[in-house]
Amino acid sequence: MIIQSQTKAWKDSSNQAGIAWILTKDQSIEPITGSLIIEDVASPLMAESLALRQGITEALRLGLTSISVHSDCATLIRAISSDSQIKEIYGVLQDIKNLSSHFHSISFLHVARSQDIDADELAKRALKAHSVSSCNVSGPAL
């Protein structure tokens, strides 16, 4: 099972991130996808970390025991693979390491951005839909 995690949808002005994940086994099986909007995200790196953690959490929820995690965020993959201590994402990295211990096999691979287009679009659509729905909220008439 392959997990693609992505977040290209991060708004500096509002600190909102659209995160998305796609779980695929092979071309003959429909992928499992998901997306979320997260508030108060300080940076794109934090958003990438949260997306990857959420993808791993979903894989565990589905009972998967062997996964390959793909991300186009080289900094994040390098931090996970080398046990780097990046202060900004330290807590999320610890979560990822703890979640990873529940798998029989897990690998983390950096992939080219062009290989992560579907997850990227899913994250952007989620943030755009959230922005539109936030703007269209109306309160009671005064």
Side-chain angles (χ1 to χ4, degrees):
M1 182 67 74
I2 296 173
I3 297 176
Q4 294 174 302
S5 65
Q6 186 60 247
T7 177
K8 289 293 180 241
W10 179 71
K11 285 188 176 180
D12 185 21
S13 60
S14 64
N15 285 346
Q16 291 179 322
I19 66 170
W21 57 93
I22 299 174
L23 286 76
T24 57
K25 188 166 186 171
D26 59 44
Q27 300 299 331
S28 65
I29 298 174
E30 188 71 26
I32 299 167
T33 64
S35 62
L36 290 172
I37 301 301
I38 301 179
E39 305 288 337
D40 299 320
V41 178
S43 70
L45 180 58
M46 176 57 84
E48 292 279 356
S49 303
L50 294 169
L52 194 140
R53 181 182 70 184
Q54 188 63 39
I56 294 171
T57 300
E58 290 299 315
L60 279 173
R61 187 183 66 74
L62 293 169
L64 302 176
T65 59
S66 181
I67 62 171
S68 179
V69 181
H70 297 184
S71 174
D72 69 1
C73 183
T75 301
L76 177 57
I77 296 300
R78 193 170 35 254
I80 293 167
S81 299
S82 68
D83 285 333
S84 295
Q85 303 296 322
I86 300 176
K87 187 176 181 178
E88 174 186 1
I89 58 171
Y90 178 79
V92 180
L93 284 174
Q94 294 307 307
D95 291 346
I96 290 168
K97 289 174 188 175
N98 289 336
L99 291 168
S100 297
S101 69
H102 296 283
F103 293 94
H104 292 268
S105 173
I106 187 169
S107 61
F108 296 90
L109 301 170
H110 175 253
V111 296
R113 187 162 290 170
S114 62
Q115 292 179 296
D116 237 357
I117 293 171
D118 292 338
D120 182 37
E121 286 303 313
L122 190 58
K124 286 178 181 176
R125 280 195 310 260
L127 190 57
K128 185 176 181 179
H130 179 73
S131 296
V132 170
S133 67
S134 295
C135 293
N136 292 331
V137 174
S138 60
L142 298 175

